[in-house]
């Protein structure tokens, strides 16, 4: 059921109600964006440092980040980061690992052993579908040519 706003100026679940407008509301949104930007940026800085100072290929770093997201979710460390940073933690590659792990855990709870095979892909289906769709649109708009 949808949360019904009360008539007083209170905050529920950390979010201001519809009656709260003005600078306080803008400040809350600004802080959410700032936290997401900083956390997402720090995750990307780690990736850039791995590219610059190791001999890991970008493909190995991609796999490392996704696997790290799965591992941190499994041990219960990534969920608090997602709750704190929102999109700053779910958009980078570690967030994809988080989505796979969380979907798998939920599917195992409801479907049992079969959920281990279906949960991750089901949870990430929208993101995977969007990536394929927008990749296709970009390919239609781009003019392919050799770089040589």
């Amino acid at each position: 059921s949808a949360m019904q706003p009360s008539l007083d100026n209170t905050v529920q679940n950390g979010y201001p109600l519809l009656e709260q407008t003005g600078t306080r509301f803008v400040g809350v949104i600004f802080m959410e964006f700032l936290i997401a930007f900083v956390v997402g940026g720090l995750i990307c800085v780690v990736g850039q440092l791995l590219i610059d100072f190791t001999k890991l290929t970008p493909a190995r770093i991609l796999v490392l980040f996704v696997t790290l997201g799965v591992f941190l979710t499994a041990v219960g460390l990534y969920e608090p980061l997602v709750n704190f940073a929102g999109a700053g933690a779910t958009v980078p590659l570690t967030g994809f690992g988080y989505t796979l792990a969380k979907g798998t855990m939920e599917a195992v709870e409801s479907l049992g052993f079969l959920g281990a095979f279906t949960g991750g892909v089901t949870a990430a289906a929208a993101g995977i579908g969007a990536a394929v769709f927008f990749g296709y649109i970009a390919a239609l708009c781009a003019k392919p040519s050799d770089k040589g």
Side-chain angles (χ1 to χ4, degrees), residues 50-148:
L50 290 172
I51 289 170
D52 290 345
F53 297 111
T54 68
K55 294 187 178 193
L56 291 172
T57 64
R60 289 179 190 254
I61 294 170
L62 180 148
V63 171
L64 175 70
F65 270 42
V66 172
T67 306
L68 188 63
V70 170
F71 175 76
L72 292 175
T73 302
V75 296
L77 296 177
Y78 207 76
E79 182 84 24
L81 183 64
V82 168
N83 292 336
F84 173 71
T90 58
V91 171
L93 287 169
T94 49
F96 182 66
Y98 162 78
T99 301
L100 291 173
K102 188 161 176 74
T104 300
M105 291 187 296
E106 290 173 358
V108 166
E109 285 180 16
S110 64
L111 300 174
F113 183 68
L114 182 62
F117 300 102
T118 62
V121 176
T122 302
I128 294 169
V132 169
F133 174 76
F134 289 114
Y136 180 72
I137 296 300
L140 291 176
C141 297
K143 181 178 178 187
S145 63
D146 290 334
K147 291 186 176 185

